């Protein structure tokens, strides 16, 4: 059994931000359990990549407070995490007279939340700013920005890891035993999806930041007070040709009944353009993580995109994808519930984060700070009562950032053998579309292992942008396979696309 | 580092090699050919099937043989080339009017490098349309590849992209992959094409689909994809003339891969501003059906560049050509019109349902009647006679190499073998090994299946470095 002071379930932006915050002062041992092979595979990697300013949320709500906190001074965080970030501003465009009232209400709401740089623009000003005619008025939000949600989430995890947090990927939590107040914290059972073995973990403080599965984890503790209603949003990604024409995220006035902010156009930090997301609640019969794209929504997105940006050329669509919002309100109820971030009263030592949907990504660092305080308070109280084991001194000091280098080493190569042949790649371009060298891909691969994550093409993509360019991998996937085979001795038959069952090939042509 | 060159040719495929050789022949010496891969040949290396050079050379080469032919010419004419050199951008140079019109930025294995060039020939080929443009709904698991990628996986790297496959789109590469996967023991359920006529050559429909009884469904799309991590199935459905799904036409297949052959896009992204002195040729200009035309175009563009260089030397403003901006757009428009006309002809042909047999000896795909009439050359009648009495095919596939720099070597039969013996031949070949080094044209087995027919290698494979050491 592995023992920790704090165990976090879910290595998304929120879980990673919490781990980074708690591990800052090197006081506690921390583990993060994640069912996916790598970080940023769920909600954190499937969104618009927008840093919201906070005018969309109800005054007095946690959402409003944390979002504004997250937005203010994000430049500093981006610099510390070494990720690209641009405060582009954003426009909420009202196309009809009847939307005007709601537009003004949005501004009032933003003002009440303390959002800076909000202004109503009218037709002429708007056209001047955008360079084309659309809408009768708009709300300008100067504090809104864009960034890469993959790089951000990965950077949070890597920082947490260098501070001593241990990540365990491919671990699906299957049961939690709360040993009650008289004894030590929680015993968590998880299945190791690589090996198929059951593992147990013990922790004083349990933090549930499991995103789409937060209610499932909650139920494992006998709590039935929250249900998540998965609400899917589909996107189109367009090539970089249009990025010169649209540099600012453009949104419609949101419909209050809807589960999202409405289909919008967002330039990405890398210069692509995204249209989306739609909002479609998944039925109970559907798998919760059904990241399908659908015929009707793909058509709908194209139409709505052209409404916002009349010159939009959909011939440049290079990819469609979807993300899923973990909503706490059903389709019938509509709209937004507030974030649930609390020390659970019924179960001491259990901190839960449920319904962390938009603006969760923007809020993740303030959420991390808030939750870290809660956790530290519990741990310090326990220590004062002298009933904690201070696991930090026992185990994680010496294991600091060694991760669980399970994957490739287990499969036929020991570490020394690997280090002998481990050559760095050279400056040769591996991906022409995005300008990525072999060296960059190999270094990303090594960083995946160092984090304790399991290498996948998707993981390399999140870190380097391979397969994300105009060819969508039709050229570079060959080069990636060859490179990993040559320089890291990876058996291509074991190579995974995005998950444990996602083999890339069905055997060899000639055995 | 900035170097000066009179002409920079980008791309070491058939178009670039042809253009560079032709420049040399015209006495333009100060040139460099840049190739992003570690070898010349471009896409030809993975096209192990035959049918290359039938028009231009009157001979039936495989892709690797055609590439090898040009690699030899490259060394014969001493064309300087640089592999592992990826062009990042081509930009206009304004400060030095005419003396150096373009700045070409190149990433090499050793670092970054710049060329100032009076003219640039972009023979950068094309890229495949992927899932994004073809709007295929459903999950997004592993097992969905474009046909060219699947072809490279199979023919260069020895990996099966799938064993139970649906081919989406009926472009030539898709048809060729249908045959390739079938020959290697995979099952191709069908080829679906959203238009009412197939995109590929009639010749390939016959020898890649009909030979193996693979159905081609026109007016059909993929309506859904299943499988969370790897493809586990797909639905196909008929569409009407407005593109709407026809109720009740859905059919499900438990496939493990989808291979997309839904079109090619000329690759010219690296050209940042369209300026004079930049010429496009080959598939970078528009997508060609035949390598023969690409070769010819490479030679023609070299002529255009020669004229251009002469004009700017005497400070004349050169005329626009169909290879340079903005003549390119007109060329592309004409090409698109031609393709539309071709499709109309195909449609009419299908409607009249003529009692003919298509001759597949060359890409002309002439229709020959049962009275042995028709066709552009005399060979058609002979072919049809054989096709009725004793249909025969050339077999192209690959053989495992031991201790080579590549896992496979492409091979072909030196003549045709009976169609019904293709499977038997494949069985034999899959038990073969050959030790590196292998020479192009090396006989791997004589009297293969038929007396007088040999199985020969169609590309050279060197010994691997590790093998050399031991």
């Amino acid at each position: 059994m592995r023992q920790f002071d704090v165990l976090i379930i879910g290595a998304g932006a929120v879980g990673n931000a919490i781990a980074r915050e708690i591990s800052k002062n090197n006081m506690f041992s921390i583990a993060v359990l994640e069912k996916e092979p790598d970080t940023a595979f769920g909600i954190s990697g499937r969104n618009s990549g927008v840093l919201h300013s906070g005018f969309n949320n109800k005054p007095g709500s946690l959402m409003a407070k944390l979002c504004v906190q997250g937005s203010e001074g994000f430049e500093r965080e981006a610099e510390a995490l070494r990720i690209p970030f641009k405060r582009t501003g954003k426009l909420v465009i009202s196309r009809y007279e009847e939307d005007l009232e709601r537009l003004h209400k949005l501004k009032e709401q933003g003002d009440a939340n303390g959002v800076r740089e909000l202004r109503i623009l009218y037709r002429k000003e708007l056209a001047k700013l955008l360079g084309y005619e659309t809408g009768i008025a708009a709300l300008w939000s100067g504090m809104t920005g864009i960034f890469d949600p993959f790089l951000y989430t990965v950077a949070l995890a890597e920082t947490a890891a260098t501070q001593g947090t241990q990540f365990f990927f491919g671990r699906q939590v299957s049961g939690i035993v709360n040993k009650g107040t008289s004894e030590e914290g929680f015993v968590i059972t998880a299945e190791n999806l690589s090996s198929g073995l059951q593992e147990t973990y013990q922790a004083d403080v349990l933090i549930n930041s499991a995103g789409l599965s937060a209610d499932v984890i909650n139920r494992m503790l006998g709590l039935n007070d929250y249900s998540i209603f998965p609400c899917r949003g589909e996107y189109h990604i367009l090539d970089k040709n249009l990025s010169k024409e649209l540099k600012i995220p453009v949104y419609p006035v949101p419909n209050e009944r809807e589960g999202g902010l409405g289909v919008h156009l967002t330039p990405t930090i890398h210069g692509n353009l995204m249209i989306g997301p739609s909002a479609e609640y998944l039925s109970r019969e559907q798998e919760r993580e059904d990241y399908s794209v659908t015929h009707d929504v793909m058509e709908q997105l194209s139409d709505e995109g052209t409404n916002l940006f009349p010159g939009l050329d959909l011939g440049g669509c290079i990819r469609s994808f979807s993300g899923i919002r973990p909503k706490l309100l059903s389709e019938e109820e509509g709209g937004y519930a507030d974030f649930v971030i609390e020390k659970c009263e019924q179960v001491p030592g259990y901190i839960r984060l449920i319904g962390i949907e938009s603006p969760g990504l923007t809020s993740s660092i303030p959420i991390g700070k808030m939750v870290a305080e809660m956790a530290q308070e519990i741990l310090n109280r326990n220590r004062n009562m002298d009933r904690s084991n201070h696991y930090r001194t026992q185990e994680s000091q010496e294991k600091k950032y060694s991760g669980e280098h399970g994957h490739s080493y287990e499969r036929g190569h020991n570490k020394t053998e690997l280090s002998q042949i481990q050559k760095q790649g050279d400056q040769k371009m591996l991906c022409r579309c995005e300008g990525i060298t072999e060296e960059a891909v190999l270094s990303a691969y090594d960083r995946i292992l160092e984090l304790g994550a399991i290498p996948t093409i998707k993981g390399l993509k999140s870190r380097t942008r391979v397969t994300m360019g105009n060819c969508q991998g039709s050229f570079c996937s060959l080069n990636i396979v060859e490179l990993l085979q040559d320089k890291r001795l990876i058996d291509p038959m074991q190579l995974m696309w995005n998950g444990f069952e996602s083999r890339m090939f069905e055997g060899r042509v000639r055995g | 580092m900035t170097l000066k060159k009179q002409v920079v040719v980008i791309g070491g495929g058939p178009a670039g090699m042809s253009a560079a050789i032709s420049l040399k022949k015209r006495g333009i010496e100060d040139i460099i050919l840049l190739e992003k891969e570690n070898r010349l040949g471009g896409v030809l290396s993975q096209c192990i099937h035959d049918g290359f050079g039938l028009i231009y050379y009157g001979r039936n080469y495989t892709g690797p043989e055609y590439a090898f032919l040009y690699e030899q010419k490259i060394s014969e004419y001493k064309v300087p080339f640089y592999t592992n050199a990826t062009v990042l951008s081509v930009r206009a140079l304004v400060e030095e009017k005419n003396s150096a019109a373009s700045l070409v930025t190149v990433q090499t294995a050793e670092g970054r490098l710049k060329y100032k060039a009076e003219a640039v020939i972009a023979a950068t080929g094309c890229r495949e349309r992927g899932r994004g443009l073809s709007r295929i709904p459903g999950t997004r698991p592993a097992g969905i590849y474009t046909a060219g990628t699947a072809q490279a996986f199979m023919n260069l790297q020895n990996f099966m992209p799938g064993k139970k496959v649906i081919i989406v789109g009926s472009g030539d590469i898709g048809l060729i992959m249908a045959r390739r996967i079938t020959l290697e023991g995979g099952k191709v359920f069908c080829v679906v094409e959203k238009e009412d006529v197939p995109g590929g050559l009639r010749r390939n429909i016959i020898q890649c689909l009909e030979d193996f009884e693979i159905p081609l469904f026109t007016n059909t799309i993929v309506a859904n994809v299943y499988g969370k991590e790897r493809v586990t199935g797909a639905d196909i459905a008929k569409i009407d003339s407005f593109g709407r799904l026809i109720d009740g036409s859905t059919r499900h297949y438990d496939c493990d891969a989808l291979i997309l052959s839904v079109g090619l896009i000329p690759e010219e992204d690296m050209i940042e501003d369209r300026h004079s002195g930049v010429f496009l040729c080959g598939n970078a200009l528009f997508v060609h059906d035949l390598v023969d035309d690409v070769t010819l175009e490479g030679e023609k563009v070299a002529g255009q560049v020669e004229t251009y260089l002469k004009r700017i030397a005497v400070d004349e403003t050169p005329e626009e050509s169909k290879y340079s901006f903005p003549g390119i757009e007109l060329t592309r428009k004409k090409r698109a019109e031609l393709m539309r006309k071709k499709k109309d002809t195909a449609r009419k042909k299908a409607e009249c349902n003529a009692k003919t047999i298509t001759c597949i000896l060359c890409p002309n795909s002439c229709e020959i009647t049962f009275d042995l009439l028709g066709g552009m050359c005399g060979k058609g009648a002979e072919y049809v006679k054989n096709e009725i009495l004793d249909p025969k095919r050339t077999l192209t596939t690959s053989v495992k190499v031991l201790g080579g720099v590549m896992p496979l070597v492409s091979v072909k039969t030196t003549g045709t073998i009976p169609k019904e013996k293709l499977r038997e031949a494949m069985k034999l070949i899959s038990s073969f090994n050959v030790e590196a080094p292998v020479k192009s044209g090396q006989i791997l087995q004589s009297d293969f299946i038929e007396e007088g027919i040999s199985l020969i290698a169609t590309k050279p494979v060197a010994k691997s470095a590790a093998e050399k050491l031991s």
Side-chain angles (χ1 to χ4, degrees):
Chain A
M1 181 157 24
R2 295 175 167 112
Q3 300 182 321
F4 297 93
D5 293 325
V6 182
L7 188 138
I8 300 166
I9 302 174
V14 171
N16 295 350
I18 297 170
R20 180 178 82 138
E21 207 57 47
I22 304 179
S23 58
K24 241 175 199 165
N25 49 19
N26 220 13
M27 293 260 294
F28 308 103
S29 64
I30 306 149
V32 182
L33 259 54
E34 168 58 55
K35 70 177 164 55
E36 299 295 335
D38 200 346
T39 184
F41 269 37
I43 305 163
S44 311
R46 298 167 173 276
N47 52 66
S48 305
V50 169
L51 187 87
H52 293 290
S53 64
F55 60 79
N56 273 309
N57 310 103
K58 285 195 192 95
S61 65
L62 267 179
M63 277 181 172
K65 184 181 125 195
L66 295 169
C67 183
V68 174
Q69 282 178 14
S71 167
E72 289 285 344
F74 191 77
E75 283 83 357
R76 273 194 312 279
E77 295 289 358
E79 208 186 312
L81 295 167
R82 295 190 192 169
I83 58 157
F85 165 64
K86 209 151 118 199
R87 224 177 265 281
T88 50
K90 142 176 168 173
L91 286 167
V92 180
I93 296 176
S94 142
R95 294 173 58 224
Y96 312 105
E97 290 287 337
E98 55 261 42
D99 285 341
L100 275 178
E101 201 190 318
R102 275 195 288 145
L103 198 69
H104 281 98
K105 267 194 182 165
L106 270 184
K107 179 171 184 306
E108 283 163 27
Q109 183 168 272
D111 291 339
N113 291 343
V115 179
R116 295 187 292 128
E117 294 185 44
L118 290 177
R119 211 150 54 86
I120 300 281
L121 307 177
Y122 291 95
R123 199 188 292 265
K124 265 192 180 166
E125 247 182 316
L126 178 58
K128 204 178 151 197
L129 185 68
L130 274 177
Y132 65 91
E133 294 250 352
T134 178
I136 50 170
L139 174 61
W140 163 255
S141 158
M143 288 299 284
T144 308
I146 54 175
F147 65 115
D148 180 331
F150 295 116
L151 289 180
Y152 171 70
T153 309
V154 168
L156 285 174
E158 288 183 346
T159 315
T162 46
Q163 291 169 179
T165 302
Q166 286 189 55
F167 282 85
F168 298 92
F169 288 97
R171 298 332 201 268
Q172 172 114 43
V173 173
S174 52
I176 302 169
V177 178
N178 172 18
K179 297 179 91 179
T181 40
S182 58
E183 282 181 71
E184 295 308 326
F186 303 88
V187 175
I188 297 105
T189 317
E191 189 191 343
N192 181 333
L193 298 173
S194 302
S195 65
L197 298 174
Q198 292 285 326
E199 297 170 348
T200 51
Y201 298 80
Q202 193 179 342
D204 281 358
V205 173
L206 176 68
I207 299 172
N208 173 3
S209 63
L212 268 180
S213 311
D215 59 337
V216 179
I217 299 293
N218 198 44
R219 265 178 228 124
M220 287 181 189
L221 286 151
L223 300 165
N224 275 316
D225 44 359
Y226 290 105
S227 284
I228 281 173
F229 300 91
C231 178
R232 183 166 62 202
E234 296 181 30
Y235 288 89
H236 287 320
I237 306 177
L238 308 185
D239 64 23
K240 293 181 178 175
N241 292 339
L242 280 164
S243 59
K244 287 177 206 121
E245 288 159 63
L246 191 72
K247 296 200 157 118
I248 310 164
V250 176
Y251 286 60
V253 179
N255 177 345
E256 281 166 27
R257 291 286 304 154
E258 213 184 86
L261 298 178
V263 169
H264 49 260
L265 285 174
T266 316
T268 72
I269 192 83
H270 303 289
N272 296 87
L273 200 61
M274 286 207 287
I275 315 174
S278 53
E280 178 202 356
Y281 286 82
L282 298 182
S283 66
R284 281 177 187 279
E285 293 74 46
Q286 268 170 298
E287 209 182 307
R288 188 170 279 197
E289 289 178 80
D290 184 349
Y291 294 117
S292 293
V293 288
T294 58
H295 180 267
D296 294 350
V297 175
M298 285 197 276
E299 296 294 319
Q300 173 212 334
L301 289 183
S302 308
D303 293 346
E304 293 193 27
T306 341
N307 282 344
L308 281 168
F309 186 36
L312 194 67
D313 173 18
L314 288 153
C317 177
I318 57 171
R319 189 182 189 84
S320 304
F321 75 100
S322 71
I324 300 175
R325 308 170 181 88
K327 298 201 74 76
L328 283 172
L329 296 176
S330 67
E331 185 166 12
E332 294 70 40
E333 290 161 316
Y336 286 82
D338 201 3
F339 293 148
V340 174
I341 304 174
E342 59 185 20
K343 283 186 278 184
C344 179
E345 278 178 22
Q346 296 98 307
V347 185
Y350 170 50
I351 302 171
R352 56 186 181 181
L353 297 93
I354 308 179
I356 314 299
E357 54 161 316
S358 175
L361 193 68
T362 306
S363 312
S364 47
I365 289 175
I367 292 176
K369 289 186 177 145
M370 179 180 168
V371 174
E373 268 174 36
M374 290 178 182
Q376 276 153 1
E377 195 190 308
I378 301 171
L379 289 163
N380 289 334
R381 199 177 53 219
N382 287 356
R383 283 191 180 175
N384 292 339
M385 287 162 68
D386 198 28
R387 50 169 288 263
S388 168
N389 270 339
H390 303 295
Y391 300 123
R392 161 132 220 106
T393 47
Q394 294 174 14
E395 191 180 10
S396 72
Q397 288 288 28
E398 73 233 49
K399 280 188 81 176
K400 198 173 174 186
Y401 204 28
S402 65
E404 282 281 295
H405 301 294
H407 182 63
S408 69
Y409 300 130
E410 270 169 20
R411 295 194 160 132
H413 312 295
N414 63 40
K415 226 173 166 176
T416 32
E417 185 193 339
L418 195 68
S419 69
Q420 272 168 14
I421 57 107
Q422 203 154 39
K423 278 194 292 180
Q424 270 311 306
D426 44 38
Q427 295 288 306
K428 188 190 165 186
M429 272 300 150
L430 179 132
C431 155
R432 196 193 64 73
C433 305
E434 294 292 314
I436 306 154
T437 60
E438 288 191 346
E439 199 177 23
V441 174
L442 285 181
S443 121
Y445 179 86
D446 295 342
R447 274 164 52 209
I448 292 175
L449 287 183
E450 214 175 324
L451 185 64
I454 296 151
T456 57
I457 301 289
K458 186 179 161 91
L460 290 174
K461 170 188 138 183
S462 325
R463 286 166 178 83
T464 64
R465 288 187 60 74
V466 282
T467 78
M468 287 171 99
N470 281 352
C471 89
Q472 286 289 298
S474 67
F475 290 123
C476 57
S477 51
L478 299 157
N479 298 345
I480 298 168
V481 175
E482 210 161 26
L483 182 74
L484 294 182
Q485 196 177 357
D486 289 352
K487 301 273 167 73
R488 292 294 180 270
L489 299 188
I490 302 307
D491 175 5
M493 296 303 127
Q494 307 286 349
L495 204 57
M496 295 186 291
W497 185 257
N498 60 359
F500 295 97
E501 301 299 320
S502 64
R503 62 198 176 278
M504 285 184 70
F505 307 111
E506 297 287 334
R508 292 182 195 271
V509 180
R510 300 267 174 272
Chain B
M1 190 166 55
T2 307
L3 301 168
K4 263 194 175 175
K5 284 278 169 222
Q6 200 171 15
V7 187
V8 170
V9 183
I10 310 170
M17 288 199 284
S18 160
I21 291 163
S22 182
L23 286 174
K24 270 274 188 179
K25 281 185 185 169
R26 290 165 199 274
I28 300 166
E29 292 286 330
D30 187 21
I31 64 169
I32 180 85
L33 174 64
L34 302 172
E35 167 55 47
K36 70 179 165 63
E37 298 302 320
N38 56 10
R39 44 156 185 82
L40 293 176
V43 79
L44 286 171
S45 317
Q46 69 187 62
C47 299
I48 63 169
H49 53 279
D50 61 352
F52 297 86
L54 281 164
I55 307 263
Y56 193 79
Y57 287 100
R59 289 192 55 184
N60 190 9
Y61 292 111
T62 65
E65 286 171 322
Y66 199 88
F68 191 58
L69 185 74
Y70 272 82
E71 278 170 60
Q72 285 173 321
K73 287 186 188 210
I74 289 277
S75 60
E76 185 187 330
Y77 287 95
K78 299 195 176 64
V79 177
F81 65 91
Y82 200 155
T83 54
N84 289 331
T86 308
V87 173
L88 301 177
S89 67
V90 180
R91 235 171 267 160
L93 257 182
V94 265
E95 73 268 27
E96 286 177 63
K97 220 173 149 196
N98 286 345
S99 63
S102 302
L103 185 69
V104 183
T105 310
V106 189
Q107 180 74 36
T108 73
E110 290 80 34
R112 206 157 282 196
L113 171 68
K114 283 178 184 180
Y115 288 105
K116 282 183 184 177
E118 288 172 42
V120 172
I121 298 177
T124 42
C126 52
R127 64 169 184 268
E128 294 176 279
R129 272 166 182 267
R131 183 175 180 180
L133 277 169
S134 35
R135 296 266 174 94
I136 297 173
T139 55
R140 301 175 312 108
I144 303 174
Y145 298 112
T146 51
T149 308
Q151 187 180 44
F153 279 143
M154 280 188 85
N155 296 347
L156 300 178
Q157 298 187 331
N158 195 18
F159 309 138
M160 280 299 269
K163 284 200 168 138
K164 295 176 286 177
V165 179
I166 292 176
I167 310 265
V168 185
S170 57
D172 284 311
I173 325 168
L175 302 176
I176 280 155
M177 285 312 289
R179 172 174 67 181
R180 189 80 196 98
I181 289 165
T182 310
L183 282 174
E184 294 302 343
K187 169 83 187 159
V188 176
F189 290 117
C190 56
V191 177
V192 299
E193 168 58 57
K194 76 174 192 322
E195 306 244 346
D196 54 354
V197 283
L201 296 169
R202 177 81 190 123
R203 177 173 189 261
N204 286 331
I205 303 276
I206 294 167
Q207 59 180 3
C208 298
L209 302 188
E210 292 176 6
D211 273 6
F212 302 95
E213 287 161 4
I214 299 166
L216 168 71
F217 300 127
T218 49
N219 296 319
T220 304
I221 60 159
V222 173
N224 212 349
V225 179
Y226 301 92
K228 198 176 163 197
E229 300 193 343
R230 173 83 203 186
V231 175
T232 59
D235 292 337
I236 65 165
K238 287 258 171 212
I239 50 168
D240 63 17
S241 50
F242 299 100
R244 294 171 305 207
L245 292 179
I246 296 173
D247 282 343
S249 69
T250 306
R251 220 188 286 192
H252 180 82
Y253 292 94
D254 290 324
C255 56
D256 62 15
L258 292 180
I259 296 199
L260 314 184
S261 175
V262 288
L264 301 163
I265 307 163
E267 184 82 276
E268 49 158 297
D269 287 359
M270 70 288 291
I271 300 164
E272 291 193 349
D273 43 7
R274 295 181 159 196
H275 55 279
S276 68
V278 177
F279 296 78
L280 260 55
C281 78
N283 285 350
L285 179 61
F286 60 76
V287 177
H288 295 66
D289 288 334
L290 303 176
V291 76
D292 308 63
D293 296 336
V294 166
T295 300
L296 204 63
E297 210 169 70
E299 290 168 7
K300 280 189 186 161
V301 81
Q304 294 270 358
V305 168
E306 186 185 20
T307 319
Y308 174 83
L309 293 174
K310 277 181 193 155
R311 292 262 167 102
I312 58 166
V314 295
D315 236 0
E316 263 181 53
T317 317
E319 282 169 66
E320 286 154 13
S321 80
K322 68 175 199 172
Y323 306 111
S324 69
F325 302 110
I328 284 165
E329 287 313 316
L330 189 66
T331 309
R332 284 180 180 165
K333 240 182 230 163
K334 276 187 191 160
R335 168 73 182 180
E337 205 168 301
L338 188 77
M339 294 313 282
R340 265 196 299 279
K341 270 186 196 157
K342 254 190 171 172
K343 272 206 168 141
D344 286 341
T345 321
R347 228 164 259 144
K348 272 177 204 148
K349 240 184 200 173
E351 273 164 22
C352 74
N353 193 20
K355 287 237 187 302
T356 55
I357 289 184
T358 313
C359 169
I360 63 169
L361 289 181
C362 84
N364 288 333
S365 302
C366 299
E367 297 296 324
I368 315 282
T369 66
F370 287 95
D371 310 328
L372 307 183
L373 295 174
M376 289 159 76
C377 72
K379 291 178 190 161
E382 184 66 22
Y383 166 78
V384 167
K385 221 193 283 175
N386 286 337
E387 191 65 10
I388 297 166
L389 300 172
D390 180 21
K392 286 186 165 191
R393 298 288 183 265
T394 303
L395 176 64
T396 56
T397 179
S398 54
V399 162
K400 193 177 176 182
V401 178
L402 302 175
V405 290
M406 280 184 279
L408 298 173
V409 60
S410 52
V411 298
K412 71 168 185 185
T413 53
T414 49
T416 53
I417 58 172
K419 199 164 95 175
E420 76 268 14
K421 287 195 177 166
L422 284 176
R423 299 239 174 212
E424 184 192 332
M426 283 306 297
K427 229 179 167 179
L428 270 173
I429 285 171
S430 59
S431 63
F432 270 18
N433 284 331
V434 55
E435 276 198 35
V438 187
K439 280 188 195 141
S440 183
Q442 182 178 326
I443 295 175
L444 304 182
Q445 174 140 3
S446 39
D447 294 333
F448 179 75
I449 301 286
E450 294 270 276
E451 211 173 300
I453 299 289
S454 301
L455 186 72
I456 61 164
T458 56
K459 73 162 88 157
V461 178
K463 253 189 184 182
S464 76
E467 285 293 313
K468 274 180 203 157
L469 280 177
S470 66

